[in-house]
Amino acid sequence: KTIKDAIEYNLLRMNLAKAYFFDMDGVLFDSMPRHAIAWEEVMKQHGLPFTAYDCYINEGRTGESVIREAFQKALGRDATQEEVKTIYAEKSAYYHQLLQTTTPTIPGVADVLQFVKEQGHQIWVVTGSGMRTLLDSLNEVFPSIFQQDQMITAFDVTQGKPHPEPYLKAWERSGLPKEQCLVIENAPLGVRSGKAAGLTVYAVNTGILKREDLLQAGADMVFDSMHELLQFLQQH
Ligand code: CA
């Protein structure tokens, strides 16, 4: 496949898109730096090596599986249920301590949402998050963009990303063919979830990952910022 073919394929996909599935953390809210700080600190306290990059590359996985993998890597054994519970509770508490001010939004995403809305397309939130503080603030932070019945959260699925279930659920409820749905993601596991669901996935690299991390996960296109994505949407 040549670059020209790839661009034509993506233009076709984008022009067809009637429903946009937005991930939340790292796409709408710039919440990842706080998650990274909280994970790094709490893992350190438990003697588990863990970096900000580990946090970004694992984004979207449940806290439990992140903890279990860290135990396997560092100690060569699985974490007990008790350890999982303790560490996850500490991480959540630490994260909430960092929430002295409201979580910032990703620069430029409000303009992307506004543009998609003006085009009359469906706008969905598809997130593995069950963080009420963020979910409940969506309508305040992005007024009249989201609808209650167009959200897939941790409360709607049994299997989180990278499993396709969250995006499959959004697709089913959208009532549209798959070619008319477009996923906007920032994390490799989220990209894999969208691709496993058979959808076109545009990644916006809003964190500290390498472009290759997102391309290897299967992203159809990678943008360096929301501004770049908006320009692409506006030009085509
Ligand atoms: Ca994300």
Side-chain angles (χ1 to χ4, degrees):
K1 212 161 78 166
T2 66
I3 290 175
K4 190 166 158 277
D5 288 341
I7 289 174
E8 275 171 11
Y9 168 86
N10 280 299
L11 289 179
L12 179 69
R13 284 307 169 103
M14 199 196 60
N15 286 326
L16 283 172
K18 298 270 182 290
Y20 283 66
F21 300 161
F22 288 88
D23 169 52
M24 185 170 78
D25 286 286
V27 167
L28 302 177
F29 289 112
D30 196 11
S31 43
M32 286 307 294
R34 292 168 195 222
H35 282 294
I37 292 167
W39 273 120
E40 254 187 294
E41 181 58 29
V42 171
M43 292 287 205
K44 198 169 79 188
Q45 285 168 11
H46 287 267
L48 301 162
F50 197 86
T51 64
Y53 186 81
D54 292 328
C55 180
Y56 277 83
I57 205 89
N58 276 307
E59 193 206 323
R61 197 164 272 171
T62 62
E64 173 164 351
S65 87
V66 169
I67 293 164
R68 290 190 187 283
E69 193 184 86
F71 267 81
Q72 285 293 358
K73 262 196 192 159
L75 307 172
R77 69 164 177 89
D78 199 4
T80 65
Q81 201 55 45
E82 194 56 33
E83 286 167 331
V84 170
K85 236 175 93 179
T86 307
I87 294 176
Y88 192 64
E90 287 174 14
K91 185 261 168 179
S92 300
Y94 195 86
Y95 179 83
H96 281 100
Q97 266 182 36
L98 297 172
L99 289 178
Q100 296 305 326
T101 54
T102 50
T103 310
T105 57
I106 292 289
V109 74
D111 296 334
V112 172
L113 291 167
Q114 193 56 41
F115 178 78
V116 174
K117 189 188 152 92
E118 280 164 12
Q119 304 292 305
H121 301 323
Q122 293 181 27
I123 297 180
W124 289 72
V125 178
V126 183
T127 176
S129 174
M131 291 252 321
R132 291 284 187 201
T133 39
L134 285 186
L135 292 166
D136 291 346
S137 67
L138 276 171
N139 287 323
E140 258 169 72
V141 178
F142 303 103
S144 59
I145 293 289
F146 299 108
Q147 296 179 28
Q148 235 15 270
D149 59 351
Q150 295 188 346
M151 285 188 194
I152 304 291
T153 71
F155 307 105
D156 299 297
V157 296
T158 51
Q159 313 234 49
K161 301 171 188 176
H163 194 278
E165 188 185 350
Y167 284 112
L168 282 176
K169 226 161 215 173
W171 161 66
E172 276 167 14
R173 292 202 199 156
S174 75
L176 293 169
K178 285 188 179 177
E179 315 81 79
Q180 295 183 5
C181 301
L182 184 60
V183 171
I184 310 293
E185 265 290 348
N186 73 305
L189 295 181
V191 170
R192 277 168 53 191
S193 170
K195 291 314 293 176
L199 302 172
T200 302
V201 180
Y202 287 1
V204 185
N205 192 10
T206 61
I208 61 172
L209 295 175
K210 300 185 275 286
R211 273 181 84 81
E212 288 69 35
D213 293 328
L214 295 160
L215 287 169
Q216 275 166 19
D220 294 284
M221 287 197 77
V222 179
F223 298 91
D224 288 324
S225 66
M226 286 295 166
H227 181 70
E228 209 178 79
L229 171 65
L230 179 62
Q231 270 190 334
F232 184 79
L233 296 178
Q234 282 171 335
Q235 283 166 6
H236 302 102

